[in-house]
Amino acid sequence: MRRSYVLKFFVLMSILVIVLFFVAGDLGQAQGQSKGKPDKPPDKKPPKLKCNNDGICQTEEYDCSKMPEEQPCEDCLCKSYNPLTIEQDTKQIAKGSRFVCSTSRVYQYKCIGGSYNGNNIIGDYEDTWASHPFEGQLIKATSIGDIDHDGEKEIVGVAYSSNTKGKGYNKFTTYEHKIYMFKDGSDGSPESESDLFGPLDNQVWDSIIADVDTDGLTNELVVANWYSIIIYKWEDGVGFKQVWASPDYGYRIYNVEVGDADNDGDNEIVLAMWDVGCVYVLEYLGEDSFGNKIWSDPICTEMVPEEYWNPNISPGLRVDTVRVVDADNKGMNEIVAGGNNNRFMVWRNNLETGLYDLVFVSPDLGGCTPGIDVGDINGDLKNEVILSPSDNATIYVFEYVDEYDEYMMVNSISFDSHLIGLEVGDIDNDGRDEIATHSGGLRIFDFIGDILDFGYLQETYFASGGGYFEID
């Protein structure tokens, strides 16, 4: 019995020695290999640019080390345009576009022909001009109007750039912006490029060219930069000169409008204020200053869908877009606005109190209503309210019915793209306003027929590529 244990012990020890021998050999081999130079990693080649040939220049398709005319992807090659011809007596579209490599471009679209459908011209449209890429990012700040008081329209883009400093809790970002003015005959280069304005705490968001002081002589450029506005005036020999800046209002400004909101013959500045549920009206006080700040009636917080509630900002209701126009065809202007309560609202100035009363709120339309405008789409010399919720891709037409003193939906069209912006204007010069939208690209719709209830909306143009725009 004892011999059996001894034999088993001897066998186990032999196996252990053999295992240790092989393990030691492996370790020695590994140590020997570690003393040599490591294998050289393979050279990393820059990622190959993708090119999907869809006509839209995307960031991954653009080579920032090359000039625009040397781009390897055909989508990013600059189209050859004739010099800029700005229509003075008819309307066109100016569209700003955030480009790539921290640059932007401005495009012009015009009607270049068309054919009649009854009394309606169905226009043929084309991008007829584009600026060279320029520094800074455009959001909505592209405008058309006579800014240098020479009697002719110009196209103006206001682009911002950012500068971040510090780390952690000390990290902060400031913004500067430039104003680019393009005149008739431009080969893509600006006629004027301002110095950098700023620094500011927020980026430029919107702009408008208008006769803000109602002097009938010169227009001004109003620039909204989230929480405040700045007014610039062109001065021959100097360029763009700041003439007034508002205080920080504490609420974000999504859209700025200029018009005679109280029907006293003088223009006001009307601001679409996020996070308030009201519109904000500024009156001209003379000597390039504005005040007499008037809040409109607020919108009921019960009209805000729960998904838009913000626990940090009460009531979380945001007005996105404002228009000052005669929406009810009674010869007096109203303020029409859309917002994140899925409706559109109408305010009217109260001649007795001087305040702006909320006189109409539409039904829930199924999505935010940042795309809203007012115009005559069927040529009957009466305005309609046209809007489209951003989520359900449907354009609605509302007509004011005097008998009921309310706006009633009379037509609509659905399409297949998320909508961001909408404007109306007679682009083909047939006496009827077309509807242009920023929805998966630039889309133009015509109303076919004469009677709103029986005619229909038809998409008559589409061009790929995003960007906010203005019609003038």
Side-chain angles (χ1 to χ4, degrees):
M1 197 71 174
R2 186 177 299 171
R3 290 180 181 177
S4 176
Y5 281 124
V6 170
L7 180 61
K8 289 180 180 179
F9 177 78
F10 178 80
V11 171
L12 288 172
M13 289 300 296
S14 301
I15 293 172
L16 180 60
V17 169
I18 294 171
V19 170
L20 289 175
F21 176 82
F22 281 107
V23 169
D26 289 342
L27 288 174
Q29 185 179 10
Q31 289 175 355
Q33 289 177 347
S34 66
K35 292 179 182 179
K37 292 183 180 181
D39 293 336
K40 184 178 179 181
D43 293 334
K44 290 186 177 180
K45 295 182 179 179
K48 187 177 180 180
L49 291 173
K50 299 178 181 178
C51 190
N52 58 18
N53 297 310
D54 65 350
I56 305 171
C57 184
Q58 280 116 4
T59 304
E60 61 270 17
E61 296 178 323
Y62 195 88
D63 186 346
C64 293
S65 66
K66 297 183 181 297
M67 298 296 290
E69 63 273 11
E70 299 172 341
Q71 288 303 310
C73 180
E74 190 172 345
D75 286 347
C76 295
L77 288 173
C78 292
K79 178 180 174 180
S80 178
Y81 293 98
N82 292 323
L84 174 62
T85 300
I86 301 177
E87 299 300 323
Q88 303 299 324
D89 300 320
T90 57
K91 296 182 182 294
Q92 63 250 289
I93 294 174
K95 180 169 74 73
S97 178
R98 284 179 284 184
F99 205 48
V100 290
C101 305
S102 298
T103 62
S104 293
R105 298 183 78 180
V106 171
Y107 295 84
Q108 180 199 48
Y109 291 79
K110 291 197 301 188
C111 178
I112 58 171
S115 57
Y116 273 96
N117 184 324
N119 295 323
N120 187 18
I121 293 178
I122 305 301
D124 294 325
Y125 303 96
E126 187 177 296
D127 55 324
T128 47
W129 176 85
S131 72
H132 298 322
F134 54 88
E135 293 180 1
Q137 295 294 301
L138 281 168
I139 298 182
K140 295 170 65 179
T142 304
S143 305
I144 312 173
D146 181 9
I147 190 60
D148 63 354
H149 46 266
D150 66 349
E152 295 187 345
K153 299 176 187 177
E154 289 81 36
I155 298 176
V156 173
V158 187
Y160 72 87
S161 56
S162 61
N163 183 24
T164 301
K165 294 182 179 180
K167 295 181 179 180
Y169 291 108
N170 297 320
K171 185 178 179 180
F172 66 97
T173 301
T174 58
Y175 300 87
E176 295 178 307
H177 60 276
K178 274 188 177 184
I179 305 173
Y180 298 86
M181 178 176 69
F182 300 92
K183 292 180 70 70
D184 209 58
S186 168
D187 64 353
S189 303
E191 177 75 16
S192 172
E193 177 182 335
S194 75
D195 294 330
L196 281 168
F197 291 103
L200 302 168
D201 292 334
N202 297 284
Q203 72 265 39
V204 167
W205 190 259
D206 195 17
S207 70
I208 187 172
I209 297 172
D211 185 3
V212 181
D213 56 12
T214 326
D215 64 358
L217 300 173
T218 60
N219 289 324
E220 289 76 39
L221 176 67
V222 185
V223 176
N225 63 346
W226 259 159
Y227 293 94
S228 64
I229 61 172
I230 305 172
I231 299 178
Y232 297 95
K233 185 172 287 189
W234 176 267
E235 187 174 314
D236 290 336
V238 176
F240 288 98
K241 179 180 178 181
Q242 179 179 317
V243 295
W244 186 76
S246 77
D248 187 321
Y249 292 121
Y251 300 101
R252 291 171 286 182
I253 302 166
Y254 192 82
N255 172 229
V256 57
E257 172 79 324
V258 175
D260 186 5
D262 59 6
N263 300 289
D264 66 350
D266 294 327
N267 285 332
E268 284 78 40
I269 298 175
V270 183
L271 305 176
M273 288 284 202
W274 278 28
D275 313 319
V276 183
C278 306
V279 293
Y280 195 50
V281 182
L282 295 171
E283 294 186 336
Y284 183 62
L285 301 180
E287 298 181 354
D288 293 323
S289 65
F290 290 79
N292 291 350
K293 302 177 285 293
I294 303 173
W295 291 102
S296 71
D297 278 348
I299 307 166
C300 297
T301 58
E302 290 79 8
M303 295 179 179
V304 186
E306 285 191 26
E307 60 265 30
Y308 299 121
W309 287 2
N310 186 332
N312 300 315
I313 305 173
S314 180
L317 176 58
R318 298 169 179 170
V319 177
D320 294 317
T321 306
V322 290
R323 305 288 187 222
V324 178
V325 67
D326 181 9
D328 61 9
N329 303 295
K330 293 183 178 181
M332 306 282 276
N333 286 335
E334 289 81 37
I335 298 175
V336 180
N340 75 337
N341 62 344
N342 299 355
R343 309 163 191 264
F344 81 90
M345 292 70 64
V346 180
W347 286 270
R348 185 181 297 139
N349 181 257
N350 188 318
L351 296 178
E352 294 182 0
T353 64
L355 304 177
Y356 293 87
D357 299 334
L358 183 62
V359 295
F360 179 79
V361 179
S362 78
D364 190 318
L365 298 171
C368 297
T369 53
I372 186 169
D373 206 351
V374 178
D376 177 14
I377 64 169
N378 66 332
D380 65 353
L381 304 181
K382 292 182 180 181
N383 283 330
E384 295 81 44
V385 177
I386 297 95
L387 73 155
S388 181
S390 59
D391 300 332
N392 66 359
T394 300
I395 294 175
Y396 295 101
V397 179
F398 281 79
E399 180 184 33
Y400 178 77
V401 180
D402 188 63
E403 180 182 356
Y404 302 106
D405 190 25
E406 67 176 74
Y407 296 82
M408 303 184 70
M409 191 180 70
V410 291
N411 217 303
S412 66
I413 183 175
S414 297
F415 49 100
D416 58 353
S417 181
H418 179 87
L419 183 137
I420 298 176
L422 179 150
E423 288 204 11
V424 302
D426 185 5
I427 315 168
D428 58 13
N429 201 32
D430 64 354
R432 300 171 177 228
D433 287 332
E434 284 70 48
I435 303 169
T437 70
H438 171 195
S439 45
L442 176 63
R443 299 173 188 262
I444 297 177
F445 296 83
D446 276 78
F447 182 79
I448 309 301
D450 298 316
I451 302 175
L452 292 169
D453 300 85
F454 300 105
Y456 59 94
L457 290 166
Q458 176 179 317
E459 183 177 320
T460 53
Y461 178 75
F462 173 78
S464 60
Y468 289 92
F469 59 89
E470 181 174 303
I471 299 175
D472 200 347

